[in-house]
Amino acid sequence: MIDAPFSMARRSPSAQRGLTLIELMVALVIGLIFSLSVLLVQASLSKQNLQLSDASQRDTQARAALDLMTRDLTNAGFMLGGVQTSCTVTLAYDSGLASNQNFFEYPVSAASQPTTLPTSSSLGGSPNASTYPPAGSPNVSQMVVIDSATSALLAPSSGGATTFVVQNSTTKAASGQGALKSSQLPLSTTTGINPGDTALLRMPLNGKMVCFRVPISDVGPGGSPSSTYVDSKSTQLFPSNAYADSGFQQQLVAAGILPSGGQLSNANLIQSRLTDLGPATTSVVQAVVYYVADFTNLASASGGTLPMLMRATINAANDQLVSGPTPVAAGVVSLQTLFGVDETNSGAVTNYLSWNDVVNGGYGDDVRSVLFAIVTRTLHGDPNPNYAAPPSIPVPSPSDSGGPGPDKFTAYKPTSAEQQDHFSVIESEVAIRNQLWPH
């Protein structure tokens, strides 16, 4: 048998055919479409994650701010009267302020923004901070001021007597006009009072307890403790015309404590009580202030400014900044308050009033709760070009659902720069326990 010679079969050129150009292009297009789809899904997920993160961050900060405000509001008025009757209102004076040199100190109050802090220190705590919204805006935001003591120990460090009775004496008073037209206040004794202390003068007046913030600049001639009067001259925290100052008279009328055209007399001061609160620089009586500021050093993704809810603490004895202002929540565009009052002592809130109506109605010591609303916006605009913010963001009020009124919150109107933003409203009501306890 003859073996056939070994031979390997060879494939023809046509059998070695690869991808054609058309097939390669089709494959590339399919790959590009798939990659583009993955990228689009990835971008969409990233945007959704950004929006969820934005909303979560904003919600977390807003609720943390809510808890902080709630804690401060529950302390409103705490120990402002020490162990004595609390003040309905305290009248304070500061010539270092640009305006409203005579102003009220209530357990809690509100003022419309834009305004300045009731302090001689700068407003923002940052050169790039200013109140929000700007002047002329249709939107509403308020500055909420909460006065309280950080400790029940209001006695001065000397441990001396803290309460002194005003006497019917004109010996040291200027021009024989008594204490009314003099910053010299005659007392039964001044033992325990030192220059640099601050005090509250409690004066019963028309059924209310009105107080004056009294800085002690001198105790008798050369500060002698054996003298029987204190002096408040040579200080920017007391008017030169003392208790007869026209600003004090106007404030008492505005607070509903004096009738229109009414004036104080020396008889009102006699037998009133002066409580020494100790050195003004270490006073435990403080004012916590919440307000909205526009921060340009915390720029948003679009390069604009970012509104922030701010918190500052002020020494209520000398109007000096103690701490802050500190940002507590980003994206807050409006802080609004309504005050629940019980003007009939029924034990319940009978009306919700704006602060102006509280003062105009003389209900300063009838406030039982504070209902506040915070309007926030997203920190990043919606990426959907077809999205547009609503023309108005409603802020619900109790009277909207048939509850007591008559005053209401004001709806927020997004600005032209906020048309891609989403908004939310958070509300909370806090009982003012230190206003409730005396009743």
Side-chain angles (χ1 to χ4, degrees):
M1 180 176 179
I2 300 174
D3 292 331
F6 176 77
S7 66
M8 180 180 292
R10 301 182 62 187
R11 299 181 67 181
S12 64
S14 61
Q16 298 176 356
R17 175 175 170 270
L19 293 175
T20 66
L21 180 59
I22 294 176
E23 290 173 333
L24 182 60
M25 292 179 67
V26 169
L28 287 174
V29 169
I30 293 174
L32 286 173
I33 292 174
F34 177 77
S35 299
L36 184 60
S37 299
V38 172
L39 290 175
L40 289 175
V41 171
Q42 179 73 25
S44 177
L45 289 175
S46 297
K47 291 176 181 177
Q48 290 180 13
N49 288 336
L50 180 62
Q51 288 180 321
L52 289 174
S53 175
D54 187 334
S56 176
Q57 180 183 5
R58 183 168 50 106
D59 185 66
T60 299
Q61 290 188 6
R63 294 198 176 277
L66 245 156
D67 292 340
L68 193 59
M69 287 188 69
T70 298
R71 185 198 70 184
D72 288 332
L73 282 168
T74 54
N75 288 330
F78 173 69
M79 293 305 292
L80 287 188
V83 293
Q84 303 180 54
T85 305
S86 297
C87 304
T88 299
V89 61
T90 300
L91 277 66
Y93 174 90
D94 190 338
S95 63
L97 299 178
S99 60
N100 298 324
Q101 293 181 350
N102 301 83
F103 58 91
F104 293 134
E105 289 180 348
Y106 283 95
V108 60
S109 59
S112 296
Q113 289 185 222
T115 187
T116 57
L117 286 170
T119 170
S120 55
S121 303
S122 61
L123 166 67
S126 163
N128 300 317
S130 60
T131 53
Y132 184 92
S137 171
N139 290 316
V140 172
S141 192
Q142 294 174 328
M143 181 175 284
V144 179
V145 182
I146 304 163
D147 283 89
S148 65
T150 58
S151 169
L153 301 177
L154 295 183
S157 58
S158 64
T162 59
T163 302
F164 308 85
V165 181
V166 178
Q167 302 296 297
N168 185 14
S169 171
T170 60
T171 304
K172 298 294 184 180
S175 305
Q177 297 298 315
L180 184 65
K181 293 186 178 180
S182 170
S183 58
Q184 298 173 346
L185 195 65
L187 304 175
S188 53
T189 178
T190 59
T191 302
I193 304 180
N194 298 295
D197 285 357
T198 188
L200 283 179
L201 178 67
R202 290 180 171 80
M203 182 190 301
L205 195 61
N206 294 335
K208 298 183 182 292
M209 183 65 72
V210 61
C211 298
F212 295 84
R213 184 178 69 177
V214 179
I216 307 300
S217 61
D218 199 4
V219 181
S224 171
S226 62
S227 61
T228 55
Y229 70 94
V230 293
D231 202 340
S232 299
K233 276 187 177 177
S234 304
T235 171
Q236 73 174 38
L237 300 179
F238 207 69
S240 59
N241 203 27
Y243 306 95
D245 177 73
S246 60
F248 280 154
Q249 310 285 349
Q250 294 167 2
Q251 291 289 79
L252 291 170
V253 172
I257 296 171
L258 284 179
S260 180
Q263 292 186 337
L264 291 177
S265 68
N266 276 314
N268 297 130
L269 283 98
I270 296 169
Q271 296 299 305
S272 58
R273 299 311 199 251
L274 186 80
T275 301
D276 185 14
L277 303 181
T281 54
T282 58
S283 173
V284 298
V285 182
Q286 296 184 344
V288 176
V289 185
Y290 286 92
Y291 65 101
V292 179
D294 211 359
F295 265 64
T296 56
N297 60 339
L298 296 175
S300 64
S302 60
T305 57
L306 187 65
M308 303 280 289
L309 180 65
M310 308 294 296
R311 181 181 185 271
T313 303
I314 298 169
N315 183 334
N318 59 14
D319 300 339
Q320 297 300 307
L321 206 58
V322 175
S323 64
T326 304
V328 294
V332 175
V333 293
S334 179
L335 168 63
Q336 299 184 46
T337 55
L338 289 176
F339 296 84
V341 299
D342 178 18
E343 69 272 35
T344 61
N345 283 324
S346 65
V349 170
T350 55
N351 286 306
Y352 286 97
L353 303 177
S354 67
W355 183 248
N356 283 341
D357 285 347
V358 170
V359 174
N360 292 337
Y363 302 132
D365 58 346
D366 297 317
V367 173
R368 300 292 174 261
S369 69
V370 178
L371 174 63
F372 63 94
I374 296 176
V375 182
T376 66
R377 68 167 173 82
T378 48
L379 309 182
H380 305 276
D382 194 305
N384 182 0
N386 296 321
Y387 171 80
S392 180
I393 310 299
V395 184
S397 303
S399 59
D400 293 339
S401 55
D407 294 337
K408 296 184 176 185
F409 291 125
T410 301
Y412 184 83
K413 299 183 182 302
T415 65
S416 58
E418 297 172 333
Q419 293 305 303
Q420 293 299 114
D421 292 318
H422 293 267
F423 293 82
S424 62
V425 178
I426 300 176
E427 296 187 5
S428 181
E429 185 167 11
V430 180
I432 308 301
R433 61 180 182 180
N434 293 288
Q435 289 286 82
L436 288 171
W437 286 345
H439 298 270

